[in-house]
Amino acid sequence: MTTTESDDRAINETNATTLEANLSRIEELTQRLLVAMNPKRHVPTSLQGPSPDLYAKAASAYVTEMMNNPGKIIEQQVAFWGKSVKHYIESQHLLAQGKLAHPVDETAPDRRFAHELWDTNPYFNFIKQQYLMNADAVRDAISAIDTMDDGEKRRLEYFGEQIVDMFSPTNFLATNPEALSLAAETEGESLVAGLENLIRDLEANDGDLVVTLADKEAFEVGRNLATSPGEVVYRNHLFELIQYTPSTEMVHEIPLVIFPPWINKFYILDLKPANSMIKWAVEQGYTVFVVSWVNPDATYRDTSMTNYVEDGYLTAIDQVKSICGVKKVNAVGYCIAGTTLSITMALMAQRGDKSINSATLFTTLTDFSDRGEVGVFLDDDFVDGIEAEVAEAGVLDRYYMSRTFSFLRSNDLIYGPAIKSYMLGKAPPAFDLLYWNGDGTNLPAKMSVEYLRGLCQGDNFATSGFDIADTTVRLSEVTVPICAIACETDHIAAWKSSYRGVQGMGSKDKTFILSESGHIAGIINPPSKKKYGHYTNPELGLTPDDWLADADKHEGSWWPRWDAWLAPRSGKQVKARTPGDKNHPVLGPAPGTYVAK
């Protein structure tokens, strides 16, 4: 026997041993998997998908279309059949000629099919092309329905796309060449690692399959996230107030108080020093306060929007005024916190309270006449389910919020990460933004229903008026200087709706900035990155499309432009303030205790 033959035999024996060990490990893990799936959370049917009525209406509309215009339906079907049969025949013809090749592939680039075998292997290319044909056929069928109202049609298009995405061949091991190749190369080790990742996620979530998006061991709030120096200077049942340590000798007289959304935790504004908006604002010479909201449990079931306004916003503003010895503050509200800040300002206007000198709104909706992509989850079928769930639980559990927002970007936040983790056996990345994304919060029962019914569904603030604190407030009552920043591809707060909300405000001094990118990346866009640009146009009487068509495009972050707007509205320069005062002793270092719950 030659040395080469001996080496090959040894390698084969080693590979066989490795494969056998991996198969044995899979058997052990399968038993653990069955145990992990037992305590699965009960998710009400109403929160698992749209009402069956939507699909019943779609089927009825399709049948009506077929009867009224059979030629159009037949044309669509024949076109789909023709493409599919032609594709099959061409593939068979090449194989009959002994050519290991696929027919001409004119499909558009798609990140899901980036692996080279989708283009070079006839089998996988056939599957890819046929899937994309099927997907187009589904879209064409939905598009052809003309007898559904616009809202139902949009929902059908969205949930139809969800079904199409779910059946992508990349989502199944037998039709994912990257996963199969890696399994062969590693003697099944990648599949074992993937199964371990799957079981870990099930065990961590009581039997629910929630994909871990980021390495949880790589980050710790207060250690390498939310590290800007500061102190907690006030605390009540709803929030901790953090005052940040100045980094300049002089500061603007009027302090800046930031209200983040209580749907998430505040440290999106302070992830790392390089992209921390809080750190940047301190460096521009502002006395910065941030509200860190409590993560409510069932004891908060009766906490209302009025509580958030009075015990949250108004209380925080009063504390900041007292600590700094001033009569006014500049306020910032992000997302739902911007909506509630606007409601607070309308209430303050009725009360004659002029404590807010100017307000900045990040990705804020105040006009809900067009709810954008997230609107598909805001019809009665879902909201009725949420109302029933919170009546029983006392809170809207973070699980439902996280799942809803993930499905708005399912390929990026569900299927893509699941493939990498469960099929390829890869560890989740050390990505701070995804870590924050997975660190969600609950919502109080009463507040969540008031928000969904009165604002998202009823659009009351921009129309008939929103009831708060024993009065009714309207969008037109917001009269302080406003700077609103929206994001071009925001899937949560559509920029055109944000723009229409600013148009409806009564302020004479209004500025609107449109940042490139989405709900998070468009806001957390530090100047040093030189990444996303922004648009400006002082003519706010235009339609959103006309506003953008006539807008000036600027390279780089909008942060310096906001600073140029905010600085003249922030008073004279005074000596920098250390956190707290004699009536507000330091309660502990930033980022506080509420953020850890």
Side-chain angles (χ1 to χ4, degrees), residues 498-520:
S498 178
Y499 175 83
R500 282 190 285 266
V502 173
Q503 285 183 311
M505 293 178 178
S507 309
K508 295 181 180 179
D509 179 356
K510 294 188 283 191
T511 297
F512 187 82
I513 299 171
L514 179 62
S515 175
E516 292 182 315
S517 196
H519 193 73
I520 300 299

Side-chain angles (χ1 to χ4, degrees), residues 152-276:
E152 290 177 333
K153 180 77 171 287
R154 281 196 298 270
R155 299 189 86 212
L156 184 62
E157 289 171 343
Y158 172 82
F159 289 110
E161 197 66 30
Q162 287 290 317
I163 294 171
V164 166
D165 288 345
M166 181 175 66
F167 282 103
S168 169
T170 54
N171 296 338
F172 303 91
L173 178 61
T175 51
N176 187 315
E178 183 178 10
L180 291 171
S181 298
L182 186 60
E185 291 170 9
T186 62
E187 306 296 335
E189 182 64 34
S190 60
L191 295 181
V192 174
L195 186 55
E196 289 178 330
N197 290 342
L198 172 66
I199 294 169
R200 176 207 62 211
D201 286 347
L202 287 168
E203 291 175 339
N205 295 282
D206 297 325
D208 289 314
L209 186 54
V210 180
V211 186
T212 298
L213 298 178
D215 183 357
K216 295 181 180 180
E217 304 300 321
F219 300 104
E220 182 182 350
V221 177
R223 177 175 62 84
N224 55 2
L225 297 176
T227 58
S228 292
E231 308 288 348
V232 176
V233 294
Y234 177 81
R235 179 187 295 124
N236 70 8
H237 64 289
L238 270 186
F239 70 93
E240 289 182 328
L241 183 65
I242 302 170
Q243 182 178 359
Y244 286 90
T245 304
S247 59
T248 57
E249 291 185 3
M250 304 294 287
V251 296
H252 292 284
E253 179 184 23
I254 298 178
L256 182 67
V257 55
I258 301 175
F259 295 95
W262 54 92
I263 290 175
N264 299 105
K265 295 184 179 179
F266 84 88
Y267 65 90
I268 186 61
L269 300 167
D270 191 31
L271 286 174
K272 294 181 296 190
N275 61 358
S276 170

Side-chain angles (χ1 to χ4, degrees), residues 185-437:
E185 291 170 9
T186 62
E187 306 296 335
E189 182 64 34
S190 60
L191 295 181
V192 174
L195 186 55
E196 289 178 330
N197 290 342
L198 172 66
I199 294 169
R200 176 207 62 211
D201 286 347
L202 287 168
E203 291 175 339
N205 295 282
D206 297 325
D208 289 314
L209 186 54
V210 180
V211 186
T212 298
L213 298 178
D215 183 357
K216 295 181 180 180
E217 304 300 321
F219 300 104
E220 182 182 350
V221 177
R223 177 175 62 84
N224 55 2
L225 297 176
T227 58
S228 292
E231 308 288 348
V232 176
V233 294
Y234 177 81
R235 179 187 295 124
N236 70 8
H237 64 289
L238 270 186
F239 70 93
E240 289 182 328
L241 183 65
I242 302 170
Q243 182 178 359
Y244 286 90
T245 304
S247 59
T248 57
E249 291 185 3
M250 304 294 287
V251 296
H252 292 284
E253 179 184 23
I254 298 178
L256 182 67
V257 55
I258 301 175
F259 295 95
W262 54 92
I263 290 175
N264 299 105
K265 295 184 179 179
F266 84 88
Y267 65 90
I268 186 61
L269 300 167
D270 191 31
L271 286 174
K272 294 181 296 190
N275 61 358
S276 170
M277 176 176 277
I278 290 172
K279 179 177 182 293
W280 177 85
V282 170
E283 290 172 347
Q284 308 316 303
Y286 296 100
T287 302
V288 178
F289 292 82
V290 171
V291 166
S292 175
W293 300 103
V294 73
N295 184 11
D297 57 25
T299 64
Y300 284 78
R301 71 165 53 245
D302 294 323
T303 299
S304 63
M305 289 289 288
T306 294
N307 295 130
Y308 273 90
V309 168
E310 294 190 325
D311 300 343
Y313 286 76
L314 295 177
T315 298
I317 290 168
D318 284 344
Q319 300 305 317
V320 171
K321 287 164 51 182
S322 175
I323 291 170
C324 294
V326 295
K327 295 181 178 180
K328 293 190 175 187
V329 305
N330 288 320
V332 175
Y334 194 164
C335 190
I336 186 178
T339 306
T340 313
L341 175 60
S342 301
I343 290 170
T344 302
M345 289 188 290
L347 178 64
M348 294 170 74
Q350 287 191 15
R351 295 177 175 179
D353 186 342
K354 299 181 179 180
S355 297
I356 294 181
N357 190 57
S358 76
T360 301
L361 306 175
F362 297 163
T363 63
T364 291
L365 294 181
T366 50
D367 181 324
F368 289 83
S369 55
D370 182 354
R371 300 171 300 198
E373 289 183 57
V374 76
V376 299
F377 294 103
L378 295 174
D379 275 33
D380 278 341
D381 49 1
F382 279 109
V383 177
D384 287 350
I386 289 172
E387 189 166 9
E389 171 67 17
V390 300
E392 180 178 345
V395 293
L396 179 58
D397 192 282
R398 70 184 81 185
Y399 168 83
Y400 296 108
M401 297 298 298
S402 175
R403 192 171 70 160
T404 297
F405 290 133
S406 292
F407 270 110
L408 290 172
R409 290 293 181 268
S410 57
N411 285 324
D412 294 330
L413 295 177
I414 297 177
Y415 302 126
I419 290 168
K420 290 178 181 177
S421 183
Y422 306 149
M423 289 191 198
L424 305 181
K426 295 182 178 180
F431 189 4
D432 57 351
L433 180 58
L434 289 179
Y435 177 88
W436 167 85
N437 188 71

